[in-house]
Amino acid sequence: MNPIKKNSKVISKIIIYLILLVASVSFLLPFIWLVRSSFMDIGQIFILPPEWIPRPFRWQNYPEALTAVPFGRYALNTITILIFVEAGVIITSTMSAFAFSRLRWKGRDKIFSVLLTSLMVPYVVTLIPTFLLWKALGGINTFLPLTVPAWFGGGMFNVFLLRQFFLTIPYELDEAAYLDGATPLQVLWKVIIPLSKPAILTVAIFTFMSVWNDLLGPIVYLNDPDKYTLAVGLATFVGMYTGQWNYLMAASTVMILPPIILFFIGQKFFVQGITLTGLKG
Amino acid sequence: MRKLELKWGIILALPAILGFLIWNLGPMIASFVIGFTDWSVAGSPEFIGLANYKEIFFDDFIAKKSIIVTLYFAGGSVIVSMVTAFLAALLLNRKIRALPLFRTIFFLPSIVPAIANAVVWLWLFNPDFGLLNYILEIFGLSRLQWIYDEHQVIPSLIMMSAWGMGYTMMIFLAGLQGIPQQLYEAVAIDGGNWWHKFRHVTIPMMTPTIFFNLVMGLISSFQAFAQPYLMTNGGPNYASMLYCYYIYQNAFQYGRMGYASALSTILFIMILVLTLLIFKTSSYWVYYEGGRGR
């Protein structure tokens, strides 16, 4: 390679790293800002130009913020909802995805494409009649409206994702099992599920994120503070403690931590799952 | 065997099919019907024909403003997020060190819960003590009012949504990594430079991914609710009255279930028309391998 070309290669490399560095700093800045404020005295937060090192280092913001409102109760509620939703989503979306990819039956693909249209229906559009239905059934202020729907296929997004994955498994495996006298249920349990653990884990992670982040559902269905989820609890906290930014930042940091930890643990599956949804099916 | 597959196929698909009927189709039809009534939380509903729609289109200036604001926000955030995500994916699709680190940094904001997101950005946007105004001052620029100004609030929210473009970027990245290297080599052999590669390989090969992100991005940005609910209350002067928030206000704060249902029918039609439009035009600009358009 001639030296001029080599030089320009080096320069373009440097430029790329420079852009990446600046972009990374701006993407991280809100996080740094959040964490730094969560350890500060309320007075120091307002100092301009901004200071980056908390002094004094007020770690007490955390216990104080978390005991100002019953965050433990909120966490327990969130986890309760989470367990029921996860179970419903994982069981019923695996079942449906199996039926829509590994079993041949009349009308299968037509029904599947009709069901997929539900992805285009905004949550609010169905929210009002669903709310009125739950009201008639006496389900307001219970966790039922937030958990029961998960047991009906677990959302077409998850069915789609699992189906995409199931389609990559060789059909010879099913056929061999059927020749040995297996029933479809046994094929699902003994052939497909063991091979699909990464995809099922991906669905579990996505489900965690959506329950953890859900705001509209709990706001609409839960009005007793004892039933609040973390997201709603924090939202009311924001309303109550508008001046106490260090508390708000501490509580927000706690809220952010579980998804981030989960992301780092399941990063591999997460990336796979996102890739899978982007593939055309 | 066939009979067994049919039996189990229907049994196993039943939850999803029932779910579609109970939680999607049923409520949609119900919502459409309720839109013709004056259903309120208290009192019995009465059929009032097109009165709700008449009110939306002729009397309710907030509804009209809300539609415009929502289109502005959805269009803006989809374009800005997609461009940011595409550029980031292009940068990450090179042979660079510490790729997983950079990828994680760009992705992380997208998993921040809406409520925590709102707390952080309320503070960043703060006109007096916020970080953003401080940065503007460093560069000698004048301060902005951000979400506290009628004209700046939507651009501010668009900027905030661009910060959370991580999912879109990951899908773009996966798309870029799926482009066969031979195609680039072929362009290089013909003497093409980076622009030719980008214009005649990257862009055409990425159109299915762009299409996917466009549709998903549009649908999700039409559903934005947390920003007005947590940060702006739809203000100032209804300039951030995003449509879903307006529906929520009517249904659950004013108790006007019938009116809110009519509003949501309009939202559904808007999304349907836009998606159909994108699907219809896709045969002109989306390239599928093997030349088969869908």
Side-chain angles (χ1 to χ4, degrees):
Chain A
M1 204 184 277
N2 69 50
I4 295 173
K5 205 159 183 191
K6 201 176 173 188
N7 255 338
S8 76
K9 263 240 156 87
V10 170
I11 291 173
S12 79
K13 263 259 148 78
I14 292 175
I15 291 174
I16 286 171
Y17 278 106
L18 222 62
I19 296 173
L20 277 174
L21 203 71
V22 172
S24 299
V25 170
S26 34
F27 269 77
L28 282 179
L29 214 53
F31 288 109
I32 299 169
W33 183 262
L34 172 73
V35 174
R36 125 202 131 129
S37 312
S38 74
F39 286 112
M40 278 186 176
D41 191 86
I42 186 71
Q44 199 190 358
I45 289 183
F46 290 99
I47 292 175
L48 278 178
E51 293 182 359
W52 295 97
I53 310 294
R55 76 191 148 74
F57 199 83
R58 257 190 72 91
W59 61 269
Q60 304 95 304
N61 285 342
Y62 281 81
E64 284 170 16
L66 296 184
T67 49
V69 279
F71 271 104
R73 177 86 240 171
Y74 302 158
L76 198 68
N77 293 339
T78 312
I79 291 167
T80 309
I81 294 172
L82 199 59
I83 290 171
F84 284 101
V85 171
E86 286 278 8
V89 168
I90 291 170
I91 293 171
T92 59
S93 68
T94 311
M95 280 166 53
S96 316
F98 178 74
F100 285 118
S101 60
R102 310 300 291 193
L103 300 176
R104 281 156 300 176
W105 43 285
K106 214 169 163 248
R108 180 190 79 176
D109 294 340
K110 273 211 186 83
I111 293 180
F112 184 70
S113 49
V114 170
L115 298 199
L116 267 189
T117 57
S118 66
L119 288 179
M120 270 172 229
V121 181
Y123 183 68
V124 266
V125 170
T126 57
L127 181 63
I128 294 164
T130 314
F131 173 83
L132 294 171
L133 176 72
W134 281 114
K135 202 170 166 224
L137 294 174
I140 304 302
N141 231 350
T142 71
F143 296 152
L144 293 176
L146 302 171
T147 49
V148 170
W151 288 82
F152 288 83
M156 280 315 282
F157 179 80
N158 293 324
V159 176
F160 177 74
L161 193 149
L162 285 175
R163 180 177 170 271
Q164 291 285 86
F165 190 87
F166 290 175
L167 288 174
T168 63
I169 302 171
Y171 281 86
E172 288 80 19
L173 295 176
D174 302 30
E175 278 155 25
Y178 285 128
L179 281 179
D180 289 344
T183 64
L185 220 48
Q186 284 168 323
V187 171
L188 169 62
W189 188 247
K190 293 204 174 122
V191 179
I192 303 297
I193 290 180
L195 287 172
S196 308
K197 280 185 192 139
I200 295 172
L201 211 68
T202 308
V203 166
I205 296 175
F206 279 139
T207 305
F208 174 90
M209 301 288 179
S210 73
V211 172
W212 193 259
N213 295 351
D214 187 18
L215 194 63
L216 189 52
I219 283 175
V220 166
Y221 288 114
L222 308 172
N223 35 42
D224 175 1
D226 254 12
K227 300 267 167 59
Y228 281 176
T229 60
L230 277 171
V232 181
L234 190 54
T236 51
F237 191 56
V238 172
M240 282 158 59
Y241 290 81
T242 8
Q244 301 280 18
W245 283 99
N246 46 353
Y247 287 178
L248 291 179
M249 297 291 186
S252 301
T253 308
V254 174
M255 184 84 195
I256 287 181
L257 229 43
I260 288 188
I261 293 170
L262 195 69
F263 171 73
F264 278 106
I265 295 173
Q267 191 168 15
K268 204 181 99 207
F269 303 116
F270 216 80
V271 174
Q272 260 177 15
I274 294 171
T275 312
L276 214 54
T277 54
L279 298 175
K280 53 193 164 96
Chain B
M1 190 57 226
R2 267 291 146 86
K3 245 186 159 164
L4 204 62
E5 282 190 68
L6 177 69
K7 185 184 125 196
W8 281 104
I10 290 175
I11 292 176
L12 294 176
L14 205 59
I17 295 171
L18 283 178
F20 179 78
L21 297 176
I22 300 173
W23 309 114
N24 282 290
L25 191 63
M28 271 181 59
I29 295 169
S31 175
F32 184 69
V33 174
I34 296 170
F36 295 113
T37 71
D38 63 352
W39 200 321
S40 64
V41 228
S44 57
E46 249 171 78
F47 186 77
I48 52 167
L50 289 169
N52 285 330
Y53 290 92
K54 229 163 112 188
E55 185 179 340
I56 293 169
F57 287 115
F58 296 106
D59 302 323
D60 188 349
F61 80 96
I62 304 174
K64 266 172 294 181
K65 183 147 187 181
S66 170
I67 292 176
I68 295 166
V69 161
T70 308
L71 287 171
Y72 178 21
F73 171 76
S77 71
V78 167
I79 292 169
V80 174
S81 303
M82 279 194 25
V83 170
T84 317
F86 197 74
L87 290 177
L90 282 177
L91 275 176
L92 293 181
N93 192 37
R94 303 169 146 267
K95 288 184 201 77
I96 46 169
R97 269 172 228 268
L99 170 80
L101 176 71
F102 286 120
R103 193 178 60 191
T104 304
I105 291 173
F106 291 149
F107 181 74
L108 272 188
S110 69
I111 55 172
V112 172
I115 169 68
N117 212 348
V119 171
V120 179
W121 282 87
L122 270 175
W123 195 215
L124 292 171
F125 282 141
N126 188 302
D128 299 317
F129 306 101
L131 189 62
L132 292 175
N133 268 349
Y134 174 70
I135 293 172
L136 287 181
E137 280 188 345
I138 292 178
F139 288 101
L141 299 164
S142 54
R143 288 162 166 261
L144 294 175
Q145 290 301 305
W146 303 102
I147 56 169
Y148 302 97
D149 177 273
E150 217 182 308
H151 303 289
Q152 292 165 22
V153 59
I154 292 292
S156 302
L157 294 181
I158 290 174
M159 179 174 137
M160 187 179 147
S161 68
W163 185 62
M165 58 77 196
Y167 273 104
T168 318
M169 179 198 74
M170 293 291 230
I171 292 171
F172 275 139
L173 195 56
L176 286 172
Q177 284 165 352
I179 300 176
Q181 280 303 310
Q182 305 95 284
L183 295 175
Y184 290 114
E185 284 157 18
V187 176
I189 289 168
D190 290 343
N193 57 19
W194 67 270
W195 170 249
H196 295 119
K197 287 180 187 171
F198 181 71
R199 174 70 191 80
H200 298 290
V201 177
T202 310
I203 293 285
M205 291 301 285
M206 286 300 283
T207 46
T209 315
I210 294 172
F211 174 72
F212 176 84
N213 276 338
L214 183 65
V215 173
M216 296 317 269
L218 215 56
I219 292 173
S220 76
S221 57
F222 262 96
Q223 303 196 51
F225 165 78
Q227 298 91 325
Y229 178 77
L230 295 167
M231 298 173 72
T232 65
N233 280 319
N237 193 18
Y238 308 109
S240 64
M241 183 57 86
L242 294 182
Y243 204 78
C244 281
Y245 182 60
Y246 191 54
I247 293 177
Y248 167 83
Q249 275 199 333
N250 273 288
F252 300 104
Q253 288 180 345
Y254 315 144
R256 299 186 68 191
M257 297 293 174
Y259 193 67
S261 293
L263 284 170
S264 40
T265 301
I266 294 173
L267 173 71
F268 179 66
I269 292 171
M270 281 199 296
I271 291 184
L272 194 70
V273 168
L274 270 171
T275 345
L276 281 180
L277 220 64
I278 298 172
F279 267 91
K280 284 273 179 243
T281 60
S282 71
S283 59
Y284 296 101
W285 62 273
V286 177
Y287 171 83
Y288 285 107
E289 257 174 291
R292 69 189 162 92
R294 274 202 291 193

